[in-house]
Amino acid sequence: MGKWLARLTALGVALALAAPVTAAQADPATTGKKTVRIGSIQSVDSMNPFLAVRLIAGQLQRWTYMFLTTPDPKTLQPSPDLAESWESSADGLTWTFKIRQAKWSDGQPVTAQDAAWTFNKIMTDDAAKTGNGPAVENFASVTATDDRTLVIKTKAPQASMLSNPIPIVPKHIWEKVGDMATFENETYPAVTNGAYIPIEHKKDSYVKLKANPDYWQGKPKIDELQVIFYENPEAAIAGLKKGDIDLIGRLAAPQFEAGAGDPNITQWNTPGRRAAYLQINHGATTSDDKPVGDGHPALKDPKVRQAIHYAIDKKALVDQVQNGLAVPADGSIVPPMYTDFFWQATGDEKVTFDLAKANQILDEAGYKKGADGVRTMPDGKRKLEMRFSIHTDTPTEDKLAQFLTGWFKEIGITLTTRKLDSNKFTEETGSTALFDIAISGWSVNPDPEEVLATHLCSRRPTPSGEGGGTESFYCDKQYEELYQSQLKELDTTKRADMIKQMQQRLYTDAPVIALYYPNNLELYRKDRITSITPIPAGRQGEGILYGGASGYPMVTLDAKAVASGGSGGSGGGGSNTGLIIGVVAAVVVVGAGGFFLARRRKSTSDERE
């Protein structure tokens, strides 16, 4: 997916930093043209799908590329996309996919060779593994036996095969790329085969997409989709009210509530697919088991992590930080919307808010309080003074830090808030391990295999800081065995039980501590958007518009045509030259300078997932 992008707290500051684009850059004012503009508080890290790790990049991939399968709009079960049909061998080791007849946006046919090349590139190129490496770790071989037939052989049965998160790219374009690590894929129009085609990207400002007339499900109803990047949510909300954008999702409670009372704005509040949690530096190591970073040594002790867990009032965080628009997390890192895989601690195993118990655990473990009330290590050489890493000027994270600081003081731990820009935050919590405790989170797909994989030994960064994709620097034998077992288990009920055991292991060992599941909070202008179908569709009170597990809502999207010279919003005046598009001063471009940041999907604001 997580770690929300750095934002400014005041609209006035945002305006001072904003870099307004010209009407020619972002104005959809062409007679009869249907354009929808989505606001995003996160900018694209890379237009290269092999490198991109942010949620917004993942959404763009869903809108612009086809995958082997896609979640069914109603059931979220795997359904046809690039693959029309599939079958597996009796031993579960060979999967055969029938590739549909489709065209790339440059007119070339889509073939099984494109899919085979995509998967083999990730299997053989370390740089190409950055975005989705774990998805092919169990692949033994991938071949195209003809233009319509793709054969994937696995080392062991793979239950998550039909939820593969890798977008298929055109071989005839990408085989010409030299160094994947530094390739940003910035030639437009891009060659894609999804519902939309990227036609323009201004770094940290916007991405423009046009409808693909050759999309296999039919050309989208709108002509152009734009994603406008804002430095902070306050500026984005102001843009929505003014009519400069038409929809914004992934909002925190205060921004969502700011949309109340506006007759032109619809508030969309449904169960979310995200879990928010603390990431604990419990003794980070690289993939060759060498220590890395400067985490506090006390956090290596499971007793200390357990005490910290008891010192967190999750209900208070939901009420006071999320304004009640979240669900407290008592275990699972998979949100409750995925009922098959959701796990919740009960009975004596459940960790409740209990400062007395937290103090007792630390007392018994030998961490004595000094005259100043701060505990020291059992050897007396170092105080329990720790850093809490959050994103620069993020109001909800500031508020979270205030609560944690107060509670931790009560148990003899001094917590000092460290604010980092998104670039530094991603680097320190995913690669260099220069942190103690950090805010984190993940947007989970219908099959949770991907988020589970972020806690595998193999996801730790290499000694040079490359690849990886860890969400915790975790490496645990029991967890690994359960992961491999669930991967091979084709019985859904048995597999779900193993996945719950994995979450139980994370809960008790606490390399991460789940806090809450934020609601999906979105706002859109009903005077501009005439129809949009959420995913999952058809479930009363559920469904996500932006940031869902597939691109389906943007395929169904329709809007009023914009007359020449109009902004489309009731408060928009006559042009969009005043669009507030914040300059994100320190956005990460994966691969810049040849250095890969560890994969943080659903982490710097989800990564993607």
Side-chain angles (χ1 to χ4, degrees):
M1 156 178 232
K3 304 169 175 168
W4 296 274
L5 263 182
R7 352 192 214 277
L8 299 174
T9 56
L11 177 57
V13 178
L15 290 167
L17 290 180
V21 296
T22 65
Q25 290 172 319
D27 189 357
T30 302
T31 303
K33 190 174 184 179
K34 293 183 177 181
T35 298
V36 171
R37 298 152 299 185
I38 298 174
S40 174
I41 309 163
Q42 181 187 60
S43 61
V44 172
D45 49 357
S46 177
M47 294 297 286
N48 179 344
F50 293 97
L51 299 181
V53 299
R54 291 183 175 175
L55 177 67
I56 179 59
Q59 291 304 118
L60 285 167
Q61 290 169 25
R62 289 189 174 105
W63 304 336
T64 56
Y65 290 98
M66 292 166 65
F67 297 67
L68 283 183
T69 66
T70 188
D72 179 88
K74 292 184 179 180
T75 67
L76 300 182
Q77 295 302 307
S79 66
D81 197 25
L82 181 60
E84 289 183 315
S85 61
W86 50 83
E87 60 182 18
S88 65
S89 60
D91 61 6
L93 296 178
T94 301
W95 288 78
T96 303
F97 295 87
K98 181 182 178 182
I99 302 302
R100 76 171 63 253
Q101 292 189 335
K103 289 195 301 184
W104 293 105
S105 54
D106 64 357
Q108 294 293 313
V110 178
T111 70
Q113 281 85 0
D114 295 310
W117 187 91
T118 300
F119 291 130
N120 279 294
K121 184 64 176 177
I122 298 174
M123 293 165 65
T124 58
D125 187 324
D126 284 344
K129 298 180 192 299
T130 306
N132 287 293
V136 299
E137 284 181 356
N138 187 45
F139 287 10
S141 66
V142 183
T143 55
T145 57
D146 58 49
D147 282 355
R148 304 264 71 82
T149 308
L150 180 76
V151 178
I152 300 178
K153 294 183 180 293
T154 59
K155 303 169 188 175
Q158 184 163 330
S160 61
M161 177 62 76
L162 297 180
S163 299
N164 190 285
I166 296 173
I168 305 304
V169 303
K171 175 184 176 183
H172 67 282
I173 299 295
W174 285 83
E175 65 183 353
K176 300 172 186 176
V177 174
D179 183 6
M180 185 65 74
T182 58
F183 182 67
E184 289 302 318
N185 192 32
E186 292 280 3
T187 300
Y188 298 104
V191 178
T192 63
N193 58 4
Y196 296 92
I197 303 166
I199 56 174
E200 189 177 344
H201 171 214
K202 183 174 181 181
K203 185 176 179 292
D204 305 340
S205 293
Y206 62 86
V207 174
K208 294 171 67 174
L209 315 168
K210 70 175 182 179
N212 182 0
D214 296 319
Y215 181 50
W216 77 270
Q217 294 192 70
K219 181 181 178 181
K221 298 173 184 177
I222 65 169
D223 301 296
E224 191 169 295
L225 185 64
Q226 298 180 2
V227 183
I228 312 298
F229 305 135
Y230 286 84
E231 174 68 18
N232 64 87
E234 290 79 11
I237 297 302
L240 181 75
K241 290 185 173 182
K242 184 172 180 285
D244 290 335
I245 57 173
D246 307 310
L247 182 152
I248 185 166
R250 293 185 46 74
L251 293 170
Q255 291 79 45
F256 175 76
E257 291 170 344
D262 190 316
N264 292 314
I265 294 177
T266 294
Q267 290 182 291
W268 193 261
N269 175 10
T270 59
R273 68 184 186 103
R274 183 173 181 78
Y277 45 80
L278 299 182
Q279 180 181 350
I280 310 293
N281 190 340
H282 58 284
T285 56
T286 54
S287 57
D288 60 348
D289 297 320
K290 299 292 176 56
V292 63
D294 62 356
H296 198 292
L299 294 173
K300 295 180 182 180
D301 187 345
K303 293 291 185 182
V304 174
R305 302 197 296 272
Q306 184 184 42
I308 286 173
H309 199 169
Y310 274 104
I312 301 171
D313 187 342
K314 298 173 184 177
K315 179 65 165 58
L317 293 180
V318 166
D319 292 340
Q320 301 299 318
V321 177
Q322 294 294 316
N323 293 12
L325 299 176
V327 177
D330 290 315
S332 182
I333 57 171
V334 175
M337 73 174 291
Y338 300 127
T339 55
D340 289 346
F341 301 110
F342 176 65
W343 175 81
Q344 194 167 23
T346 57
D348 293 340
E349 189 176 33
K350 183 176 178 179
V351 176
T352 58
F353 179 54
D354 191 334
L355 293 176
K357 186 163 186 176
N359 274 303
Q360 180 184 351
I361 291 171
L362 293 174
D363 287 339
E364 293 176 352
Y367 297 87
K368 297 179 180 179
K369 284 186 179 180
D372 58 359
V374 180
R375 295 182 185 272
T376 59
M377 296 284 291
D379 61 10
K381 293 182 178 179
R382 184 168 175 179
K383 292 185 176 183
L384 267 58
E385 297 172 333
M386 302 177 186
R387 300 159 295 178
F388 182 43
S389 298
I390 65 173
H391 293 87
T392 304
D393 298 324
T394 305
T396 55
E397 294 181 13
D398 276 321
K399 202 168 184 179
L400 171 65
Q402 292 171 14
F403 279 98
L404 294 181
T405 299
W407 293 326
F408 287 14
K409 182 179 180 181
E410 293 293 320
I411 65 170
I413 297 176
T414 298
L415 196 65
T416 302
T417 301
R418 233 175 131 243
K419 297 183 180 182
L420 304 173
D421 63 51
S422 185
N423 185 339
K424 199 69 174 172
F425 189 97
T426 301
E427 178 184 333
E428 293 191 0
T429 60
S431 182
T432 59
L434 300 176
F435 76 102
D436 295 321
I437 303 172
I439 183 63
S440 187
W442 201 266
S443 293
V444 181
N445 286 327
D447 187 310
E449 186 274 333
E450 183 182 8
V451 68
L452 299 175
T454 66
H455 304 290
L456 294 175
C457 299
S458 61
R459 296 300 291 271
R460 295 170 297 169
T462 65
S464 59
E466 298 179 352
T470 185
E471 187 62 9
S472 61
F473 289 89
Y474 200 45
C475 185
D476 176 74
K477 182 179 179 181
Q478 180 181 338
Y479 187 86
E480 296 280 325
E481 290 175 350
L482 284 167
Y483 177 85
Q484 294 302 327
S485 295
Q486 66 81 29
L487 195 64
K488 302 171 187 177
E489 182 54 68
L490 301 182
D491 182 291
T492 303
T493 301
K494 292 179 180 178
R495 180 178 179 235
D497 183 63
M498 293 175 188
I499 286 175
K500 291 175 182 178
Q501 290 180 54
M502 293 174 68
Q503 295 179 81
Q504 184 178 22
R505 178 61 180 159
L506 290 177
Y507 185 77
T508 56
D509 204 23
V512 294
I513 297 174
L515 300 176
Y516 44 74
Y517 312 110
N519 290 6
N520 170 59
L521 304 176
E522 305 182 78
L523 300 172
Y524 70 88
R525 292 194 67 94
K526 56 188 176 184
D527 60 339
R528 284 280 299 121
I529 294 176
T530 57
S531 66
I532 182 171
T533 305
I535 184 169
R539 297 188 191 178
Q540 187 67 29
E542 294 189 19
I544 298 172
L545 305 177
Y546 164 79
S550 87
Y552 177 73
M554 296 306 150
V555 176
T556 70
L557 184 63
D558 201 358
K560 294 179 181 178
V562 178
S564 180
S567 71
S570 61
S575 94
N576 279 339
T577 55
L579 273 178
I580 305 167
I581 303 177
V583 176
V584 182
V587 19
V588 182
V589 178
V590 178
F595 177 76
F596 309 109
L597 294 180
R599 172 188 150 92
R600 309 296 292 157
R601 281 207 309 213
K602 326 325 119 106
S603 46
T604 34
S605 194
D606 319 304
E607 30 82 147
R608 289 201 317 195
E609 314 340 73

